[in-house]
Amino acid sequence: MTAILQVFGTFLLWLYKICGGSYALALIVFTLLTKVILFPLSYKGKKGMMQMNTMQAEMARLQKQYGNNRVKYNEEVQKLYEREGVNPMSGCLWSFLPLPILMALYYVIRRPMLYMMHLTTDQITAAIKAVEKLGTYTLSGSEIYQEMQVAGLMYGHQDVLSAVQTAVGDGASKLEIINFNFLGINLAATPSFGDFNALWVIPILSALTAFLSSFVSQRLNKKAAGNVQNPQTQSMNGMMYIMVPAMSLYFGFILPAGLGVYWISNNLLMMAQEVILTKLLTRPHKKTQE
């Protein structure tokens, strides 16, 4: 697992360098590249979802006809799926594809010295103790959070850098000075509900873009279905309008701000992807001229 995460970390560090030392831009480019790589799978998933949407009118008719007989209704719906060659799960599975990437990025952002710089845990512990001995800086939280703080302090603080270089010994050649600051926001820090500051911008934007992404996606899906949706779909869409932004807001306050930048970028790119995929899949086919 560590080896896989170090591959992610090395790639993110490479992006950081080619992006001119902008940690935020590296995260945005990382998000864009994952969208491009996963686009074929997203296309397949969107196609399945739109096939499901085109069946909404027929499913509404079945609901009206067999609404009091759930067994018969489910049988007819299954027959409809088989006739149309539709897998009801294919339309939603693709939306979970970014989750493994999100989890990997979460660990990489939380532990830059382990996964981006490839230091050992003993070297990281020694680096933290060396910074604490300086007596100038206060490190808070668990060792994992202290690792992030030390990685951030190495930028612009020569005393910290020198202390860490001495503490890690042979690992000094692996150290990377990373600037986690973006528009005055420390992307290595975690926002706090009880401390109002600039970091609050990240979870708020995360929630807003999540709402917009859900809104655009559902409007496009509804339009593709001819503005016909069964009550279950409408109820689920209503819940998504609340749950997705609420989850984005909550996680934005308990995870490092860098992950929030990824989340915001993912939401915005998701909206653009939804528009592109919908146009591609609803584009009228030209008749071949003889």
Side-chain angles (χ1 to χ4, degrees):
M1 185 66 175
T2 299
I4 296 174
L5 292 174
Q6 286 183 338
V7 171
F8 271 86
T10 300
F11 181 61
L12 183 60
L13 182 61
W14 176 75
L15 287 177
Y16 170 79
K17 291 179 179 179
I18 68 171
C19 288
S22 173
Y23 189 67
L25 183 57
L27 290 170
I28 294 170
V29 173
F30 179 91
T31 312
L32 177 61
L33 290 176
T34 57
K35 285 295 179 188
V36 172
I37 294 171
L38 296 176
F39 188 81
L41 296 176
S42 298
Y43 179 91
K44 184 177 180 180
K46 182 66 175 180
K47 183 178 180 180
M49 183 178 290
M50 291 186 68
Q51 287 176 322
M52 287 287 294
N53 287 336
T54 58
M55 295 162 51
Q56 291 295 322
E58 180 64 14
M59 292 182 70
R61 185 189 69 79
L62 293 175
Q63 175 72 26
K64 184 176 181 181
Q65 184 175 357
Y66 302 107
N68 295 326
N69 188 339
R70 298 301 301 176
V71 175
K72 182 64 175 176
Y73 170 74
N74 290 333
E75 289 177 354
E76 292 299 320
V77 169
Q78 187 61 41
K79 291 178 182 178
L80 177 62
Y81 289 152
E82 293 174 357
R83 286 199 305 269
E84 298 294 333
V86 174
N87 180 356
M89 296 300 296
S90 64
C92 61
L93 288 176
W94 70 277
S95 62
F96 293 101
L97 290 175
L99 289 181
I101 298 174
L102 177 67
M103 291 302 298
L105 196 60
Y106 164 68
Y107 286 108
V108 170
I109 290 175
R110 279 196 16 162
R111 305 209 61 182
M113 300 181 77
L114 177 62
Y115 297 123
M116 295 178 73
M117 305 179 199
H118 300 187
L119 296 177
T120 66
T121 53
D122 288 340
Q123 289 172 333
I124 294 170
T125 300
I128 292 172
K129 290 181 178 179
V131 174
E132 288 177 334
K133 286 182 179 179
L134 291 175
T136 309
Y137 309 94
T138 301
L139 303 180
S140 59
S142 65
E143 186 169 296
I144 291 176
Y145 288 100
Q146 291 176 349
E147 174 184 336
M148 293 173 58
Q149 293 165 44
V150 170
L153 286 170
M154 285 195 297
Y155 176 83
H157 299 86
Q158 186 58 46
D159 56 340
V160 173
L161 179 59
S162 298
V164 171
Q165 287 174 330
T166 302
V168 299
D170 294 340
S173 60
K174 300 178 182 179
L175 293 174
E176 297 286 348
I177 302 175
I178 302 173
N179 182 8
F180 292 100
N181 295 316
F182 176 67
L183 300 177
I185 298 174
N186 180 10
L187 298 182
T190 301
S192 172
F193 284 108
D195 182 19
F196 178 76
N197 53 46
L199 281 170
W200 276 45
V201 172
I202 301 296
I204 290 173
L205 285 179
S206 180
L208 288 175
T209 54
F211 175 82
L212 288 174
S213 181
S214 297
F215 177 79
V216 170
S217 177
Q218 292 179 25
R219 286 294 295 269
L220 291 173
N221 290 336
K222 187 176 181 180
K223 185 177 180 180
N227 292 320
V228 178
Q229 289 186 328
N230 60 40
Q232 290 180 339
T233 301
Q234 291 177 343
S235 176
M236 184 176 67
N237 288 344
M239 291 177 61
M240 294 294 284
Y241 277 133
I242 299 174
M243 290 181 59
V244 174
M247 288 176 60
S248 297
L249 184 66
Y250 173 72
F251 285 116
F253 273 106
I254 65 173
L255 299 176
L259 203 64
V261 171
Y262 167 81
W263 210 309
I264 293 167
S265 304
N266 186 67
N267 291 336
L268 294 174
L269 290 171
M270 183 71 76
M271 283 189 283
Q273 179 177 274
E274 283 289 298
V275 173
I276 293 170
L277 288 175
T278 301
K279 287 186 177 181
L280 287 174
L281 291 167
T282 58
R283 183 174 53 188
H285 297 286
K286 295 181 179 179
K287 294 182 178 180
T288 305
Q289 295 182 351
E290 298 182 356

